Amino acid sequence: MPNSDNSPRYDVIAIGNAIVDVMAPCDDALIEELQMAKGGMSLIDADGARDLYKAMGPAKEISGGSAANTLAGLATLGARCAFIGQVASDQLGDVFSHDIRAAGIDFDTPAREGEPPTARCLIFVTPDGERTMNTFLGASQFLPPAALSEEAIADAKILYLEGYLWDPEEPRSAMRRAIEVSRNAGRKVAFTASESFVIDRHGDDFRALIAEGLIDILFVNEGELATLTGEDDFEAGLAKLSPNVPVLVATKGPNGAVAIANGTRGEVAAEAVDAVVDTTGAGDLFAAGFLSGHVKEESLENCLTRGAICAAEVISHYGARPEADLQALVAAKLGD
């Protein structure tokens, strides 16, 4: 049960894929040779993961996963966070568990014995900073409702859910249960659509959650907004969706972001960066920045600015976790 005075133990608790990113630079010719969709994300099986790994150049392993990346940013910004996700009892599972706990994030989901192994995302980064992701979901697909810490969910201001994890049946059931627990405790539910192909597969579910008033904060990029609403025009998509979501956040990459909260609109330009090295995690860290302000009840403009600062930091280096002091960057901009 939550604290007796209803003050939450956590600012954000997230449910997402527990993934280790395996990243390597490559040229555009290799993307074409491997018949990958540049800049996209594809789900692959164990054989596909093995074949692509063989085709990679020297690689770097960094713990990832969309929601986990967001929590890593939030924790750096001083938020109190917890994560629920499934790893296997193997080397990459140990890597993920160590990394997320080392970031100051509570993580108590027991590791799963046997096959399949811990999830991994093979990321090919071209010279323009675009990342082409190939994800083997492995053990992360087998997060059952029984693995949820319902006490922790009820004790968090915000439950943050990752659309990527909606595909497999077990974690989808777990997230539905988590929504119920969170709302029964009077908390908020935030959801990131993750990718247009996820909406293609599960858009009816997402639209139903929105229609039932179960999502308080929704994060989309402009492509996901179009897929979700059926409106190719960005403004038309905002107009269609925003009346049904208390807080809608729509990012536009280098063109900044827009948020509409209960009819109030805010906009922010993208932060300038010397060079875009790797766009992996840009949306995840934008969400981290935005939520770090939202849990402190800051203005919409401040929340968006926080998001832009965090996104700019993460695209300036390889990997989807922050390397610079995000609190210092935010303070320099906002005077916090």
Side-chain angles (χ1 to χ4, degrees):
M1 298 296 292
N3 295 331
S4 57
D5 63 357
N6 207 40
S7 61
R9 177 183 177 188
Y10 298 112
D11 293 308
V12 180
I13 189 167
I15 302 177
N17 283 311
I19 295 178
V20 175
D21 290 339
V22 182
M23 308 182 66
C26 74
D27 55 26
D28 288 304
L30 184 60
I31 299 291
E32 293 181 17
E33 178 185 334
L34 296 174
Q35 298 182 328
M36 295 185 292
K38 182 179 176 180
M41 201 290 274
S42 301
L43 295 177
I44 55 176
D45 59 17
D47 289 339
R50 197 159 32 246
D51 291 344
L52 286 177
Y53 186 64
K54 288 179 182 177
M56 282 185 131
K60 183 178 182 181
E61 294 177 351
I62 308 170
S63 290
S66 176
N69 293 337
T70 296
L71 289 187
L74 276 159
T76 301
L77 289 162
R80 300 160 299 164
C81 301
F83 180 72
I84 298 171
Q86 190 67 67
V87 298
S89 183
D90 58 17
Q91 182 181 2
L92 287 184
D94 290 344
V95 168
F96 181 91
S97 301
H98 168 270
D99 286 353
I100 198 161
R101 290 171 183 147
I105 299 162
D106 286 354
F107 175 56
D108 300 316
T109 310
R112 188 174 187 271
E113 298 296 331
E115 294 293 325
T118 296
R120 69 284 316 267
C121 183
L122 306 179
I123 303 175
F124 294 75
V125 185
T126 43
D128 59 0
E130 276 292 338
R131 80 284 186 269
T132 301
M133 301 187 295
N134 303 271
T135 303
F136 170 57
L137 291 171
S140 67
Q141 300 178 89
F142 298 93
L143 176 74
L148 297 178
S149 173
E150 295 192 0
E151 180 180 357
I153 292 167
D155 216 1
K157 285 184 182 179
I158 294 173
L159 168 67
Y160 183 73
L161 302 176
E162 172 187 330
Y164 282 133
L165 197 55
W166 199 264
D167 206 50
E169 182 178 351
E170 275 192 287
R172 183 166 64 248
S173 297
M175 287 193 285
R176 287 190 181 277
R177 174 58 185 161
I179 291 171
E180 184 179 357
V181 171
S182 179
R183 297 199 70 85
N184 285 344
R187 309 306 189 186
K188 292 182 178 180
V189 176
F191 191 91
T192 175
S194 294
E195 193 87 27
S196 288
F197 86 86
V198 178
I199 302 170
D200 286 335
R201 293 168 67 92
H202 300 288
D204 288 344
D205 276 357
F206 299 165
R207 294 180 194 100
L209 292 173
I210 292 167
E212 292 166 23
L214 298 179
I215 296 178
D216 300 289
I217 306 165
L218 178 63
F219 292 93
V220 292
N221 64 28
E222 53 190 333
E224 294 154 8
L225 179 66
T227 305
L228 192 59
T229 63
E231 300 285 351
D232 290 332
D233 180 75
F234 182 75
E235 291 297 331
L238 290 177
K240 186 172 184 177
L241 191 55
S242 61
N244 302 312
V245 182
V247 181
L248 173 62
V249 184
T251 59
K252 301 186 288 181
N255 296 315
V258 174
I260 300 175
N262 299 309
T264 300
R265 178 174 175 136
E267 297 188 45
V268 65
E271 291 286 306
V273 294
D274 291 335
V276 176
V277 175
D278 170 24
T279 57
T280 310
D284 303 335
L285 268 294
F286 191 98
F290 186 93
L291 290 173
S292 72
H294 186 81
V295 296
K296 299 196 316 187
E297 300 183 356
E298 292 189 6
S299 70
L300 202 55
E301 287 73 18
N302 272 20
C303 293
L304 286 166
T305 299
R306 283 171 169 267
I309 291 168
C310 293
E313 190 282 334
V314 83
I315 66 174
S316 67
H317 57 76
Y318 279 112
R321 301 280 174 95
E323 294 182 354
D325 184 342
L326 295 182
Q327 282 188 312
L329 293 176
V330 168
K333 182 83 171 187
L334 297 178
D336 288 5

